[in-house]
Amino acid sequence: MTEASVAVHADADLLAQAVAARLLVRLLDAQADRGQASVVLTGGRIAAAVYRALAALPARDAVDWSRVDVWWGDERFLPAGDPDRNETQARSALLDLLPLDPARVHPMPASDGPDGDDPEAAAARYAGELAAAGPGDAALPRFDVLLLGVGEDGHVASVFPGQPVQHDTRPVAAVREAPKPPPVRITLTLPTISTAEEVWLVASGADKATAVRTALAGAGPVPLPAAGAHGVGRTRWLLDRAAAAELAARVR
Ligand SMILES: O=C(O)[C@H](O)[C@@H](O)[C@H](O)[C@H](O)COP(=O)(O)O
């Protein structure tokens, strides 16, 4: 497991701009190395700010977006197009502005999709989509970078403390009693999250400071799921000053 690197930026806007710039370079490097790139998106406010910042970057289209695979780390289990879906927010902030290959954009199923309002079936369907995209008989494709927000309670994606999903060994799980509304969600499980080459945990605001400190101080993943999210090659904590307030951190 790699050591986590921490970067602290003065405020939420600078954090979003810096993460967007890092993400652009990460995708460019992946395409230079292997001709394509893959990113796993998440939901929440700082993630949406990153998407907006990336959309506004002048160098944005240096990425060949037609060769980028877009996955989601979690989704609110709502009807397609619902404004509270992470997919809806990502599309309006960024994806609809990019010349992506629609076949390479993989939203998690909606609650009015082929499985109806059965989140377990929808989770299984997404696991099948991941497996179909994996090389050979691998259960998962390569994730070059997987983005996570961090909840005040230390949740990442829709892996919340004290929930059965924490002990689910499947690649994708349904969550029915999420403390953060809406209650029904679909999520990659922590073991799946931790197959990503790089995992970036992005946190903004004083209400995240304790979760950030606790995770970086070595808490276990059961009390604090964020502590269980690690990249194979790199784990980055990307913070603003408020979220880093309980750390002795470098401010950039
Ligand atoms: O569905 C969601 O809401 C996200 O997947 C969730 O994991 C989010 O990233 C964190 O709760 C942080 O959200 P904020 O950045 O808005 O605090």
Side-chain angles (χ1 to χ4, degrees):
M1 182 171 62
T2 54
E3 272 300 302
S5 68
V6 179
V8 182
H9 300 283
D11 57 36
D13 183 57
L14 208 51
L15 172 63
Q17 298 287 341
V19 175
R22 285 181 186 273
L23 185 53
L24 183 73
V25 169
R26 180 77 186 115
L27 295 174
L28 286 169
D29 285 351
Q31 288 192 334
D33 292 347
R34 59 192 192 93
Q36 55 187 335
S38 58
V39 58
V40 183
L41 303 180
T42 192
R45 293 159 299 178
I46 192 62
V50 169
Y51 306 153
R52 289 191 296 272
L54 180 51
L57 282 179
R60 179 188 86 186
D61 292 334
V63 172
D64 178 350
W65 293 105
S66 71
R67 288 185 293 127
V68 174
D69 287 297
V70 180
W71 300 92
W72 270 265
D74 72 317
E75 186 55 275
R76 292 95 176 272
F77 195 55
L78 297 166
D82 187 295
D84 282 345
R85 272 179 61 88
N86 293 336
E87 174 199 6
T88 310
Q89 293 172 358
R91 285 189 186 278
S92 64
L94 175 63
L95 304 183
D96 288 351
L97 305 171
L98 303 176
L100 292 157
D101 176 354
R104 300 184 77 154
V105 180
H106 309 274
M108 288 182 163
S111 63
D112 57 354
D115 303 300
D117 63 354
D118 180 347
E120 278 79 13
R125 177 179 300 275
Y126 204 66
E129 189 169 347
L130 285 163
D137 58 2
L140 298 166
R142 175 190 170 97
F143 301 139
D144 290 307
V145 54
L146 185 147
L147 299 178
L148 294 171
V150 180
E152 290 175 42
D153 59 359
H155 77 258
V156 289
S158 289
V159 181
F160 294 88
Q163 297 256 328
V165 64
Q166 287 194 283
H167 311 290
D168 197 315
T169 55
R170 291 170 294 182
V172 188
V175 174
R176 286 187 175 273
E177 295 172 3
K180 175 179 182 182
V184 185
R185 294 158 168 257
I186 299 171
T187 189
L188 302 187
T189 53
L190 278 181
T192 302
I193 285 168
S194 295
T195 66
E197 185 58 25
E198 296 200 10
V199 169
W200 297 3
L201 296 105
V202 189
S204 167
D207 57 347
K208 310 301 176 70
T210 300
V212 168
R213 173 181 51 79
T214 311
L216 286 170
V222 174
L224 207 82
H230 306 284
V232 172
R234 179 183 287 271
T235 306
R236 290 189 185 276
W237 285 78
L238 303 168
L239 311 170
D240 66 7
R241 186 181 285 153
E246 298 182 16
L247 303 178
R250 298 176 306 285
V251 177
R252 293 194 185 157

